[in-house]
Amino acid sequence: MKLQDAVYNWLTITVVAHARPDDAAAQETERFFADLLREDHAVEQIAYTKEDDVYTVAFTVNNESRTFRFPAELVETMLDQINREPEKYVNYE
């Protein structure tokens, strides 16, 4: 998986996990992608911000600062789907 794809996947599930803190699957998936970024891509100190309609993800790889920008509409697609059909995304303990 390319770094940009991995960061996008991490960001998408992180947005879901923050919006649904009791969603065990979202929390587990967020950890999976955070681990993947660390282990497969040497990503450290990752964080995101949202301004207007854009998410900016800043992180470090091998002591080099990097950023990616993603449209909010794209990032929030999964959360929007969950919110439209919550009965399909029940939290199972």
Side-chain angles (χ1 to χ4, degrees):
M1 179 181 299
K2 291 182 181 181
L3 175 59
Q4 185 172 2
D5 294 337
V7 170
Y8 167 77
N9 289 335
W10 169 83
L11 177 60
T12 300
I13 195 61
T14 297
V15 167
V16 171
H18 289 173
R20 297 171 49 98
D22 295 331
D23 185 334
Q27 304 306 316
E28 183 178 331
T29 306
E30 179 185 24
R31 283 190 300 276
F32 169 81
F33 279 106
D35 290 345
L36 183 135
L37 287 171
R38 258 190 319 280
E39 295 168 8
D40 292 1
H41 298 284
V43 169
E44 298 177 353
Q45 303 173 354
I46 192 166
Y48 72 91
T49 57
K50 180 183 178 190
E51 288 187 40
D52 299 320
D53 293 333
V54 176
Y55 282 88
T56 301
V57 181
F59 56 95
T60 304
V61 176
N62 299 322
N63 295 318
E64 178 185 335
S65 296
R66 303 275 308 267
T67 60
F68 289 131
R69 293 169 51 93
F70 302 98
E73 180 179 7
L74 186 62
V75 171
E76 295 169 357
T77 298
M78 182 183 297
L79 181 59
D80 291 345
Q81 177 68 28
I82 291 168
N83 288 336
R84 275 193 307 276
E85 300 179 277
E87 67 281 358
K88 292 183 179 181
Y89 301 94
V90 176
N91 185 26
Y92 296 101
E93 295 294 322

